[in-house]
Structures are given as structure tokens and as C-alpha cells.
Amino acid sequence: MILAIESSCDESALALFDPARGIVRELVSTQAAEHEKYGGVVPELASRMHLSALPWLLEEFKGDLPAVTRLAVTRGPGLLPCLSMGVTLARALALATGRPLVGVNHLRAHVHSVFLPLHAQEPSGFLVARAALLPHLGIVISGGNTLLVRLGEDLSIRVVARTVDDAAGEAFDKGAKLLGLPYPGGALIERHAAQGDVAKFVFPRGIPEKADLRLSFSGLKTALRYQLEKMDDAQVRAALPDLCAGYQHAIIEQLVAKVGAALDRGTYRSVGLSGGVANNRTLRTRLTNAAAQRGLPMFLAEPKHCGDNAAMIAFAAWSEPDRPSDVAPAPSLTVDQA
Ligand code: KG4
């Protein structure tokens, strides 16, 4: 059984994974309410909160420790003071229990997280079932990253497309801030958008050329700012659902277009969607349809595993057993690195 620790940003999390049963136990302590006061994650505050949360989360796993055969920890990417808290706890646990410890790339873990439900369905047949789904197009969309990657038959990961500026989650959050909504605003934009008309406000959709897979979201945010400058507060309040609907639509249309272009260009046997923005129901439906139109199965990370969590860290440690076990915190690790 693998016990994993995640502390790369503002969630402290522990999870226990049994290859024969799946996720046995998992806990996440989120700091979102604390950081909301500052409009974003404050690294020093986040690391102090990990320092107090991780030990009491570990208390809940104390009874499992004798059955743990391997330890895993997120080594990056993430905020250095936050990563250090998880790595320090993991190293102490490895020392105390004598169990081996592996460092896990947080982004690779998001890519693999979409297969957790498949593993849960039939743990013993998982490796054979997954082999039939590779190569796989992984779509990771979070507050800090927007990436399309190719997960090859040998589990190698290659970047197919990425954003040249803001991440899609950042576009949601910055748009929400301009609209006067609290941080993180993605889920609130989705909620307001559900009551709005996508055609009332039309926002730019990044780089239009189909042959160019690069994503771009910074122009969208600027376009929203210019639109809001033309309106007074009462008009913005009245048009909030339409503004959110148009803004969300522009983000989703761009993602659907680039994912479609990537699928038409490469050879894939399945598609996966993960990361915090993968919580968005319209995005889940639209990308599932884009995959279905091409006859490909879609694997969606479960909502509880879209944001940061330790279940995906334990699962990735098991999914990629041959990767190097370096645990030194690596704040700017990229998805194609070990
Ligand atoms: O994976 P995550 O925790 O990001 C990083 O730590 O990088 O995801 C957080 C991001 C935020 O940008 C948040 O606004 C966005 O995911 N998000 C959503 C939704 N729920 C969370 N964006 C759009 N629609 C949602 N329902």
C-alpha cells in the first residue's frame, strides 16, 4: 500500500492507495477560505497552514502505517515553502518506518488521475485495460497550468500544446476579480453563466489558426476589462449572468477547438480531462462530445480529484513504478520531467 502526501499549493492532503482495492482512505484540508481574504494564495501563510494541518491529517492514518510498503510525496511543481512541508514530513516518515520514498511530479499525477475510476472498477484488470487506451491525450486545466499532453504506450509524456500566457483557471479567476466576484472565481462564473446568454457578449478566443495548437487567454481578460469600462456598476450587476456566460463560453470554445485540432492531428485511443477547471460541467460535456465525435472514450477526473489531492499522487507513484525516486522539492518541474 502506498501512503502519499500532497502540499504543493493551498491543499494539505494524505491518501492511502491499495493496488488491489483502490483508494482506501483520503483526506484533504483546504486553505481556500484563508487565502480568499488576500485575493490569491500567500506562500508563507500556506506553508504555515501545511505545518499545522499535515500532522493532524497523519493522525487519521496512524493505524494504517504498519501496512504501508511505500511512501510518495509531491516534489513539484508548486510553491517551494509548501512543497518543503510535505517533503519534510515524508522524509521523516520514511526514516521512522524504513519504507522507500518516491517523489512524484504533480502534473503527471493529474494526467494519471483520470484513470482512478477505471482502476476502481476492476483493480486486477487495470493495467491491461489501460494499455488498450494508450496513446492517450491528457488535458490538464488548472489555476496554474493549461496543457495538452500525449501519454504514450511506454507512459512517456510529451507536451502537445500549452498556453503562451495565462492558464485557463487564471483566466476564470482574473475575470471573476474584474467582475467583483471572490477568489477563486471559476465556480462562481460557472454558476452565474448558467443563467446567462452566451451571445450577448462576445469575447476573443485566443489564436484562431487551427494549425496552431497554442492556447492564449490574456487577451480575453483584457477584452473583459474594456467591456466593463463601458458599463456602470448597476449595468454590470444586471448583466452579470450574460457577462459570465460570454466569458466562460470564450474559454470553453477555445479549449474545444484546440483539443479537436490536437485529436485530428495525432493518433489517440482515449482522452482525459483533469485539474481544477475540469470541475466545470459545461467543459466536461463539451470535451466529452468532442472525443465522442471522433469515436474516442473520455476519462474525466472525478470532481473530488480535479483539485489538488493526494489520491492522484499515490496512484501516479503506483502507475509509474520505474521513475526515478528523487524527492528534492522542484518548484518549476515541467510535465515531461521525472
Ligand atoms: O487544480 P487547481 O487547484 O489549480 C491550481 O492549484 O493550480 O484548480 C483551481 C482552479 C481555479 O482557477 C478555479 O477557479 C478553477 O480551478 N475552478 C473552476 C471551477 N472550479 C474550480 N473553473 C471553472 N469552473 C469551475 N466549476
Side-chain angles (χ1 to χ4, degrees):
M1 290 219 273
I2 302 176
L3 178 65
I5 301 171
E6 154 67 35
S7 69
S8 61
C9 189
D10 59 345
E11 262 94 31
S12 320
L14 259 74
L16 185 68
F17 174 74
D18 179 350
R21 285 186 292 160
I23 299 298
V24 176
R25 197 185 314 288
E26 61 176 313
L27 287 175
V28 181
S29 164
T30 179
Q31 311 171 356
E34 207 52 42
H35 297 293
E36 186 190 321
K37 297 177 197 159
Y38 306 96
V41 177
V42 183
E44 155 115 17
L45 175 64
S47 84
R48 282 169 191 266
M49 292 185 78
H50 287 304
L51 184 61
S52 63
L54 287 170
W56 64 256
L57 290 177
L58 182 62
E59 280 287 321
E60 300 296 319
F61 290 78
K62 241 167 56 182
D64 301 313
L65 285 179
V68 170
T69 50
R70 203 143 58 99
L71 297 156
V73 66
T74 305
R75 67 179 291 244
L79 300 168
L80 180 62
C82 299
L83 292 167
S84 304
M85 290 297 160
V87 167
T88 304
L89 175 64
R91 279 193 158 147
L93 269 177
L95 197 66
T97 60
R99 301 295 181 218
L101 168 63
V102 289
V104 174
N105 180 323
H106 181 91
L107 291 173
R108 298 180 78 95
H110 271 304
V111 174
H112 286 284
S113 71
V114 303
F115 292 125
L116 267 164
L118 181 69
H119 177 275
Q121 265 171 34
E122 210 204 324
S124 61
F126 171 75
L127 292 175
V128 173
R130 184 186 60 185
L133 297 167
L134 304 175
H136 165 90
L137 182 75
I139 311 163
V140 182
I141 316 179
S142 70
N145 289 279
T146 301
L147 286 169
L148 307 189
V149 301
R150 183 180 191 278
L151 177 64
E153 276 123 326
D154 58 355
L155 299 184
S156 61
I157 289 187
R158 183 169 58 72
V159 177
V160 172
R162 57 158 54 103
T163 176
V164 293
D165 41 54
D166 292 347
E170 210 173 338
F172 269 109
D173 296 341
K174 288 179 176 170
K177 194 169 181 181
L178 290 170
L179 289 163
L181 301 171
Y183 170 88
L188 290 169
I189 290 199
E190 179 180 20
R191 200 177 314 153
H192 288 291
Q195 320 298 325
D197 178 351
V198 293
K200 286 270 170 63
F201 297 94
V202 177
F203 293 107
R205 280 140 204 215
I207 300 162
E209 290 78 19
K210 208 172 177 242
D212 191 338
L213 292 183
R214 290 176 306 163
L215 294 129
S216 168
F217 296 99
S218 65
L220 169 66
K221 175 190 65 194
T222 310
L224 175 63
R225 206 182 64 218
Y226 288 152
Q227 176 58 49
L228 295 178
E229 280 170 6
K230 289 189 252 167
M231 302 166 81
D232 64 29
D233 287 354
Q235 285 171 321
V236 171
R237 262 197 309 280
L240 191 61
D242 294 335
L243 285 163
C244 287
Y247 192 78
Q248 172 177 280
H249 188 64
I251 295 175
I252 293 179
E253 283 300 307
Q254 181 180 167
L255 288 165
V256 170
K258 297 296 177 187
V259 166
L263 288 174
D264 293 340
R265 206 195 265 196
T267 317
Y268 298 99
R269 291 161 94 182
S270 64
V271 187
L273 174 65
S274 58
V277 181
N279 275 302
N280 189 289
R281 280 173 298 248
T282 310
L283 181 67
R284 289 169 88 85
T285 307
R286 292 292 310 279
L287 289 179
T288 302
N289 291 344
Q293 276 164 15
R294 292 159 178 91
L296 296 173
M298 174 57 121
F299 292 84
L300 300 162
E302 288 178 275
K304 68 178 170 189
H305 296 144
C306 284
D308 294 344
N309 66 90
M312 68 177 190
I313 303 301
F315 186 60
W318 177 74
S319 297
E320 299 189 301
D322 301 328
R323 301 200 66 77
S325 57
D326 193 353
V327 292
S332 39
L333 204 63
T334 58
V335 71
D336 45 5
Q337 290 175 319

